[in-house]
Amino acid sequence: EAGVAQSPRYKIIEKRQSVAFWCNPISGHATLYWYQQILGQGPKLLIQFQNNGVVDDSQLPKDRFSAERLKGVDSTLKIQPAKLEDSAVYLCASSSRGERHKGPDTQYFGPGTRLTVL
Amino acid sequence: DQQVKQNSPSLSVQEGRISILNCDYTNSMFDYFLWYKKYPAEGPTFLISISSIKDKNEDGRFTVFLNKSAKHLSLHIVPSQPGDSAVYFCAAAPTSYGKLTFGQGTILTVHP
């Protein structure tokens, strides 16, 4: 079974530029997550999708960050314009949890995209 | 407001000995706890979990202990192996399918 795919793996941009990250979850996984991991910290949830609907985006800086999950499969996360403090690893994760599944849920993470904002 | 804390940034252990990684939390609504392991340039991978109705869960060399009254959990690795060298994150959630809150991570180094 293929894992969670992310691209690009690395990106360097100047502040005020735009950037987009792509994620392809494990086939059949209904739930998709985007996390931001700043150096020395644990991953922080930015947004959670259930199929193509947003479940939780309470920690997404909506003035500059946006995300979409078209057709309930792939997802893109965009930053426009980027700030120095956006330098981090952006992790995508997916899980098989559907709306009616209430049992333990394991999130599977992709390798991440390391963003450096200069 | 750091709700999940791993106060030891790093831990160094000899091969064959026990590794003990600690995690504290402040939110009493957390009911489900997990440990993830991360190698460089890879995403975190799930290791083991525990529900608040238990105080111990074991999987091979890995055991997680939960002390709800102290709001403390620990991960024991026995015996430690060089391949266990990685960053270990603890995470907590209000339910077994809820939003995860991660600690800062502890770098474990197991020396041959």
Side-chain angles (χ1 to χ4, degrees):
Chain A
E1 180 182 74
V4 177
Q6 291 188 246
S7 68
R9 293 296 309 276
Y10 305 92
K11 190 75 177 177
I12 300 174
I13 61 172
E14 304 265 335
K15 61 183 179 183
R16 291 188 289 272
Q17 285 188 321
S18 304
V19 66
F21 313 125
W22 173 82
C23 173
N24 180 236
I26 292 173
S27 177
H29 277 195
T31 309
L32 185 146
Y33 312 81
W34 282 103
Y35 288 86
Q36 179 192 58
Q37 186 183 5
I38 293 172
L39 187 65
Q41 299 180 20
K44 182 184 85 170
L45 180 69
L46 292 175
I47 188 167
Q48 176 184 345
F49 291 95
Q50 182 77 35
N51 297 308
N52 59 353
V54 175
V55 173
D56 184 344
D57 64 356
S58 57
Q59 297 190 96
L60 186 74
K62 298 180 187 64
D63 57 334
R64 297 184 300 107
F65 286 64
S66 64
E68 60 182 7
R69 189 181 185 197
L70 298 175
K71 301 180 182 177
V73 182
D74 293 4
S75 177
T76 55
L77 176 69
K78 296 179 183 176
I79 308 175
Q80 180 178 11
K83 292 185 174 181
L84 296 176
E85 59 260 35
D86 299 331
S87 294
V89 175
Y90 290 85
L91 293 161
C92 178
S94 70
S95 72
S96 58
R97 186 171 81 83
E99 284 184 10
R100 283 172 289 183
H101 174 63
K102 300 298 185 186
D105 184 40
T106 299
Q107 295 184 27
Y108 297 87
F109 284 81
T113 296
R114 180 175 296 278
L115 173 67
T116 302
V117 182
L118 302 176
Chain B
D1 174 27
Q2 190 119 28
Q3 298 185 63
V4 179
K5 292 183 183 180
Q6 294 175 254
N7 291 317
S8 298
S10 62
L11 175 67
S12 184
V13 170
Q14 206 67 30
E15 181 178 8
R17 306 294 291 268
I18 184 171
S19 294
I20 300 176
L21 298 106
N22 294 302
C23 179
D24 297 295
Y25 62 96
T26 57
N27 190 338
S28 57
M29 297 301 292
F30 288 145
D31 214 40
Y32 190 66
F33 305 89
L34 309 89
W35 285 93
Y36 276 80
K37 174 180 176 178
K38 185 183 182 307
Y39 292 118
E42 294 183 14
T45 55
F46 171 74
L47 198 55
I48 193 169
S49 64
I50 188 167
S51 163
S52 63
I53 61 172
K54 293 185 173 182
D55 55 16
K56 176 182 172 181
N57 189 26
E58 201 169 346
D59 184 2
R61 297 186 297 113
F62 301 90
T63 303
V64 55
F65 295 92
L66 176 63
N67 183 333
K68 264 200 103 175
S69 60
K71 294 191 176 66
H72 177 83
L73 65 153
S74 61
L75 175 69
H76 292 210
I77 307 173
V78 184
S80 301
Q81 299 173 355
D84 296 330
S85 297
V87 180
Y88 289 79
F89 292 98
C90 69
T95 65
S96 62
Y97 50 90
K99 172 180 170 179
L100 295 181
T101 300
F102 283 85
Q104 315 95 302
T106 296
I107 301 169
L108 173 65
T109 304
V110 181
H111 298 283

